[in-house]
Amino acid sequence: MGPSSRAWTAGRLLVAGFCWLTAAYACVASSTFASLQFLQPRVFPWVGTFSDWHAAAGWLWLAVAAALSWRDVRRHDVHGRLALGLLTLLAAAVVWNSASPVLPSLAGGTRPLVVAIVAFAIPIGFGTLDHVAVRGCRSLDRPSTTDRTTDESRLFFVAVATALLATALYAVFASVTMAGAFEPDLLTAGLLTGLGWSLADHLWIGCAAFLTLAVIARLASPRPSVHYAAIFATLAAALALAFSRLVGTALGMHGVAGAGVAVAFGTSVVGTWGGLRLRRFAADTPATVPPLDVFFGTAGLAPSPARSALAVGGTIGLAVACAAIARQADWDFVLLKSGVLAVWIAAFGLAHRTTTSRMRVPAWGIALVCAVTLAAQQTMHASVDQRRMLARYEVYNPSFRLAHGLLHDVAATPAFDRFLRANTSVDAALMPVNLEFVASLGPSPQPEKPLIFVFVVDSLRPDYLGSYNRAVRFTPRLDAFAAESVVFRNAFTRFGGTGLSVPAIWAGSALVHKQYVQPFHPMNTLEKLLDVNGYRKVVGRDSIMGRLLDASPRRDELDAGVANMDYRLCGTLGQIETKLASADPAPIFAYSLPQDVHMSRLPATVESGPEYRGFHAPYATKVHAIDACFGHFVDTLKARGLYDRSLIVLTSDHGEMLGEDGRFGHSTHLFPQVIRVPLLVHLPAALARRAAIDVDTLALSTDITPTIYSALGYNPVPANPLMGRSLVAMDATAAAARRREPVVIASSYGPVYAVLQDNGQRLYIADALNGSDLAYARAGDGTWSAAEVTPAERIVSQFLIRQHVDEVSRVFHVDDAPAHHGQH
Amino acid sequence: MESLTRTALLLGLLAAYAAATLRPVLLDGAGRGFDALAPESRFVEHAIGEHRFGDALPVALQLRHAHTGEPLVAYWLATIYQGLGRPADARSAWDDFHRLSGSPDGVNAD
């Protein structure tokens, strides 16, 4: 099995693939939030399995790498010595990794990025060996002037054809995915507008790629090795840039280390592919090969129609598969856009291989197409209506989303974005501050303490509950519970994403953007309340609660031995019912964060009944499942005579995107669907009689804890503007103040902030990850729609966000910390 | 000769594409002169956040003098005057803000 065989190439790609997967894991682990919220809770179990078995799999990988390199090692020249040296280094690395497994120990910081660079460097090492091995082989061409012109013509044709192919392919894709959707903005005019812009953007990218490669060829072609190196560097730089824009941005990989990883990625991929192709050419092809053909294949003189059709079908299949995978699990379109990029490259390769090298395009033809494309792209300015159409068209056309984003997403306020990044994911060591709702907290003045149950159903959306949405027919038991409870109709989370939303609920306050200040107890106003009143805490010790709760003898663990992501409300409620039967006289406090409706736990498809029409069926069926269990729990409380003595809170830590605008999950999003939460509060009978409640006033998740203070007879007073307010002491004055005040919300996982104004009717979002800002307005019927960001709104909202960040710094003494760094 | 012409043409086109790509970055680098994150701007905003309106006013007035067309400074002044209990000045600054930001009255700015 030599370098000319397909099996050898596949084996080498397998070896490189293991390294790339290792690097990908390390990149994810470099983000503290991703490590805490994605890797450690094993949101996707196979990722955890890969980490567990990585050290052992390393030996198998080494054996495969050694077998594939054996022929190289036996050569008695520089190449042989290099191969031996590389294998020796790899063997040492595998021994090291076995003695001290690297992947499971990665959690935030710079070390994972170093591991990623090392992992990317291994395929670079093999690629270097490949290039050294073919040195001296006459595999690169020295073209004549005529050849150069025809090569250039072919390249021009390939670039334009790729742009047209991508435009057409994804236009059809958009039409198919749009079928059945109600899109008033995408009627004939909207579709034509989208198609026109898509064509202009794709052509622009095609022409730019052509001009870059053509100029390189013109300047470097007298020396084939220089030409090859320039093409190599250009492709590696393009991939590094794409990696940085797509993956680096999403994971907050900024700075020198982030750039280093991006360059290593680009070099690793291009080096591996270029090396493998050169080895094939050196072994198989007696003729010389132009450098671009090394990467994208040689032109057939008469490509067979069957093979061409197969290649086109393969490209279409790749596009569909990438979109389908991204639909299952994605993070701010990283997979979707990466898939589109792969399709572009595949389409370019397809066009490159199926285009003969006998054509000749006149210079004026090239100039005309490039100039017209550039002029069109520079002069096309979308009106307000057209911008709305294009925003909707992006939803269905991922290739247009990528192309349009590359060309038009320019940060409106880059300095402000830098400010947000600097104050997000603070990595300085902070001392906890003492948060208090009551000056000298003593035992409750009430003789009888209520039972308290707080259920924070991860990712539950209010519009999937009948009490918030009349169209819902699958939550009868929750609706019955709502009828006996207070339904806060205007509730929002204080943080998008579990990582900071849950701590904020327990603290009853917006928090410094850090996961997590330790010890958390001084800020944990809810736990302090429970402790001083002798509550028995029945709590699931998930990956977050383990960091928030103090060691306490009065803690009774729920879901012991169950992985975080396997918490199910039905199972948890059953355990609570059992614990209610305990002889312990202490009042009970139960808390759980069930994962039933988390995106990673939804089935891919379900048998969709008529009651789910208009809803995301996999999600709705899960909501229906928890509905029955919750109803049974309420029945149990009633049967035991505990219901009227109970304070029951049913809410969520954040909402979820369920396909709106093509988005799934919550990521760093602060869209209305993500920040709105259900908030159902069943009050003990005694409290219900004296409570002052306004269900239409904006309520926040940080209001839950002060509300519990009120339920125990305290008069909670927020010590600073970041702290919540009791929802059952909301007299007319307090309600008027809350309706008037703007509220700043933050993403848990990135520099994305939002401002709610007009009692939650207007939403401004500043996304410093993508350098964009957005606005949404809520109509009287509760529906949200995208709105234009006015200059005044941008100025005021950004001022309010800065004020909020300053207040956070003041309260949590961020500026006093020895080294204050955010996501620079 | 034809080869040279063709090379020049390609270089010219590539330069035009590069200029079009870099234009937004260059425009941002040129800036508008006003920086909401400059130390004096941050001083004003910190002082407003801490309700030290008297401290904020002179710096804000200096900034208005230096950047007459900047709506954020007008917004600061409206907030400061309101905090100082000078409603007439606040109203005037508020009108300036609306005029400079091109917004209709009362658009999400209270």
Side-chain angles (χ1 to χ4, degrees):
Chain A
M1 184 173 68
S4 62
S5 75
R6 289 184 188 279
W8 186 87
T9 304
R12 279 288 307 280
L13 285 174
L14 196 68
V15 168
F18 183 78
C19 297
W20 293 335
L21 207 53
T22 302
Y25 185 98
C27 287
V28 175
S30 72
S31 160
T32 305
F33 83 78
S35 179
L36 286 172
Q37 311 298 335
F38 177 78
L39 297 179
Q40 290 182 21
R42 299 193 172 223
V43 173
F44 294 102
W46 70 267
V47 179
T49 306
F50 175 73
S51 168
D52 295 341
W53 288 91
H54 183 261
W59 287 100
L60 182 62
W61 168 81
L62 180 64
V64 174
L68 294 170
S69 306
W70 192 243
R71 189 178 284 195
D72 294 336
V73 172
R74 292 176 63 192
R75 286 169 56 159
H76 298 290
D77 57 6
V78 174
H79 178 254
R81 287 194 290 277
L82 282 175
L84 184 63
L86 178 61
L87 282 179
T88 307
L89 277 176
L90 296 183
V94 168
V95 169
W96 177 313
N97 193 36
S98 296
S100 174
V102 172
L103 290 198
S105 67
L106 299 179
T110 307
R111 187 166 160 261
L113 296 181
V114 174
V115 171
I117 290 174
V118 170
F120 281 134
I122 294 170
I124 295 175
F126 281 110
T128 305
L129 282 180
D130 293 333
H131 284 76
V132 172
V134 299
R135 195 180 56 172
C137 297
R138 200 166 159 270
S139 57
L140 299 175
D141 195 11
R142 184 192 300 273
S144 67
T145 307
T146 312
D147 287 337
R148 190 190 300 157
T149 304
T150 54
D151 281 351
E152 209 167 79
S153 298
R154 178 182 169 216
L155 178 60
F156 176 74
F157 183 84
V158 167
V160 172
T162 304
L164 295 176
L165 182 62
T167 305
L169 172 62
Y170 280 99
V172 174
F173 182 89
S175 299
V176 171
T177 52
M178 204 187 301
F182 174 66
E183 284 292 348
D185 288 324
L186 292 180
L187 302 177
T188 306
L191 285 176
L192 286 176
T193 302
L195 192 59
W197 278 80
S198 180
L199 179 64
D201 288 345
H202 283 96
L203 272 177
W204 196 100
I205 292 170
C207 289
F210 158 73
L211 289 169
T212 306
L213 295 172
V215 166
I216 287 173
R218 288 258 156 194
L219 299 180
S221 63
R223 298 189 61 189
S225 57
V226 173
H227 187 190
Y228 176 82
I231 298 275
F232 184 108
T234 303
L235 294 178
L239 280 186
L241 193 64
F243 182 92
S244 182
R245 286 283 296 264
L246 297 179
V247 181
T249 299
L251 290 173
M253 290 161 49
H254 302 287
V256 177
V261 174
V263 170
F265 167 77
T267 312
S268 187
V269 172
V270 176
T272 299
W273 187 242
L276 292 176
R277 297 282 298 171
L278 279 174
R279 295 285 285 247
R280 287 288 297 275
F281 280 125
D284 296 349
T285 314
T288 54
V289 182
L292 209 56
D293 286 15
V294 171
F295 295 100
F296 296 105
T298 49
L301 289 176
S304 105
R307 287 192 70 169
S308 298
L310 195 66
V312 171
T315 307
I316 294 170
L318 180 65
V320 173
C322 289
I325 292 169
R327 192 180 158 85
Q328 291 302 313
D330 205 349
W331 184 273
D332 202 15
F333 299 124
V334 169
L335 289 180
L336 187 70
K337 289 178 178 175
S338 301
V340 169
L341 195 61
V343 170
W344 286 1
I345 294 169
F348 187 89
L350 169 67
H352 197 264
R353 286 191 304 280
T354 52
T355 307
T356 64
S357 51
R358 291 193 295 261
M359 62 179 57
R360 185 181 169 85
V361 180
W364 65 263
I366 292 174
L368 182 69
V369 173
C370 292
V372 167
T373 301
L374 178 63
Q377 203 266 343
Q378 289 295 296
T379 53
M380 286 166 76
H381 294 289
S383 64
V384 172
D385 285 345
Q386 285 174 329
R387 281 203 293 273
R388 202 174 59 246
M389 291 172 185
L390 294 175
R392 295 309 304 165
Y393 192 65
E394 271 191 4
V395 171
Y396 300 99
N397 189 329
S399 186
F400 175 59
R401 182 188 288 282
L402 178 61
H404 200 64
L406 286 173
L407 299 182
H408 300 277
D409 282 356
V410 178
T413 47
F416 180 67
D417 292 347
R418 284 193 293 275
F419 171 82
L420 292 185
R421 286 199 293 271
N423 288 281
T424 301
S425 298
V426 175
D427 63 6
L430 297 179
M431 295 298 291
V433 299
N434 194 35
L435 296 179
E436 301 283 3
F437 280 107
V438 176
S440 300
L441 184 63
S444 161
Q446 283 183 185
E448 187 181 355
K449 296 185 178 66
L451 290 77
I452 304 172
F453 304 95
V454 178
F455 301 109
V456 181
V457 182
D458 198 311
S459 311
L460 182 62
R461 278 172 51 157
D463 55 335
Y464 275 68
L465 302 178
S467 47
Y468 286 89
N469 181 357
R470 288 181 187 166
V472 173
R473 295 281 182 271
F474 43 83
T475 57
R477 301 305 309 272
L478 285 165
D479 298 345
F481 170 73
E484 298 164 348
S485 307
V486 182
V487 180
F488 290 94
R489 312 200 59 79
N490 198 14
F492 294 84
T493 182
R494 198 75 205 237
F495 286 96
T498 311
L500 288 172
S501 176
V502 166
I505 290 173
W506 281 78
S509 174
L511 296 169
V512 61
H513 207 287
K514 179 178 178 60
Q515 298 178 39
Y516 296 96
V517 177
Q518 295 286 295
F520 191 80
H521 186 71
M523 305 190 292
N524 198 334
T525 56
L526 178 54
E527 188 179 30
K528 287 190 278 191
L529 174 73
L530 300 173
D531 287 346
V532 80
N533 284 289
Y535 271 85
R536 178 162 60 113
K537 289 175 282 186
V538 181
V539 177
R541 190 183 168 80
D542 55 49
S543 58
I544 296 175
M545 293 314 300
R547 292 176 169 82
L548 303 190
L549 295 182
D550 219 9
S552 161
R554 298 217 62 82
R555 197 169 73 202
D556 194 349
E557 190 168 350
L558 277 175
D559 294 304
V562 179
N564 293 178
M565 297 310 296
D566 292 332
Y567 284 10
R568 295 289 176 272
L569 186 63
C570 295
T572 306
L573 291 175
Q575 293 172 53
I576 294 173
E577 288 172 14
T578 305
K579 291 178 191 297
L580 284 172
S582 154
D584 192 333
I588 194 168
F589 167 87
Y591 164 90
S592 184
L593 183 71
Q595 303 294 317
D596 300 72
V597 298
H598 191 275
M599 181 53 69
S600 68
R601 290 299 176 266
L602 299 183
T605 54
V606 292
E607 285 188 25
S608 181
E611 69 272 32
Y612 301 137
R613 192 165 295 142
F615 295 92
H616 187 262
Y619 183 91
T621 54
K622 291 283 191 176
V623 176
H624 182 55
I626 64 174
D627 176 77
C629 299
F630 194 82
H632 182 268
F633 177 69
V634 170
D635 290 345
T636 303
L637 290 180
K638 285 180 177 175
R640 294 188 178 179
L642 301 174
Y643 190 58
D644 287 341
R645 289 171 46 207
S646 297
L647 174 71
I648 307 170
V649 177
L650 181 78
T651 186
S652 62
D653 48 352
H654 54 78
E656 194 80 324
M657 298 301 285
L658 294 171
E660 292 86 359
D661 298 346
R663 297 173 192 271
F664 289 88
H666 42 281
S667 178
T668 52
H669 305 319
L670 292 178
F671 299 116
Q673 294 85 352
V674 173
I675 61 171
R676 283 208 65 211
V677 292
L679 183 54
L680 310 180
V681 182
H682 173 78
L683 299 171
L687 175 60
R689 283 191 289 274
R690 61 180 160 81
I693 296 169
D694 184 342
V695 295
D696 293 320
T697 293
L698 188 147
L700 294 167
S701 54
T702 43
D703 296 332
I704 293 171
T705 285
T707 302
I708 297 174
Y709 271 74
S710 289
L712 268 72
Y714 297 94
N715 178 28
V717 178
N720 61 62
L722 304 177
M723 296 177 75
R725 293 179 182 174
S726 170
L727 295 171
V728 293
M730 196 64 78
D731 58 23
T733 309
R738 173 55 75 80
R739 284 169 179 251
R740 203 171 48 240
E741 288 167 1
V743 173
V744 175
I745 294 172
S747 163
S748 288
Y749 308 135
V752 183
Y753 291 73
V755 180
L756 276 169
Q757 296 223 63
D758 303 339
N759 195 36
Q761 303 300 302
R762 181 84 184 184
L763 173 67
Y764 169 86
I765 303 169
D767 182 346
L769 275 178
N770 294 301
S772 61
D773 58 3
L774 305 160
Y776 289 85
R778 184 153 59 158
D781 63 357
T783 55
W784 292 83
S785 55
E788 282 285 300
V789 179
T790 64
E793 182 173 26
R794 179 175 292 130
I795 291 164
V796 174
S797 298
Q798 294 188 352
F799 167 77
L800 292 170
I801 291 171
R802 286 194 298 271
Q803 291 280 288
H804 171 83
V805 169
D806 290 345
E807 186 65 30
V808 168
S809 295
R810 266 192 291 274
V811 170
F812 294 96
H813 308 301
V814 176
D815 292 334
D816 301 341
H820 164 217
H821 300 294
Q823 290 188 358
H824 293 286
Chain B
M1 187 62 194
E2 186 198 341
S3 176
L4 272 178
T5 309
R6 206 166 161 114
T7 303
L9 172 73
L10 291 171
L11 274 171
L13 284 168
L14 183 63
Y17 271 71
T21 306
L22 295 175
R23 193 177 66 165
V25 180
L26 297 174
L27 284 178
D28 177 55
R32 293 175 300 158
F34 176 75
D35 181 3
L37 296 164
E40 57 272 33
S41 303
R42 296 303 294 141
F43 175 85
V44 172
E45 294 199 338
H46 279 135
I48 291 173
E50 292 161 6
H51 292 192
R52 292 185 290 108
F53 299 112
D55 294 342
L57 183 58
V59 184
L61 287 171
Q62 275 180 14
L63 286 169
R64 185 181 65 174
H65 184 70
H67 307 282
T68 49
E70 179 51 48
L72 178 59
V73 178
Y75 182 79
W76 288 339
L77 285 168
T79 308
I80 291 166
Y81 285 131
Q82 201 161 320
L84 291 172
R86 293 165 58 177
D89 291 328
R91 204 172 304 120
S92 170
W94 200 241
D95 290 342
D96 286 346
F97 169 70
H98 286 306
R99 180 174 48 78
L100 295 171
S101 64
S103 69
D105 281 354
V107 175
N108 303 303
D110 53 357

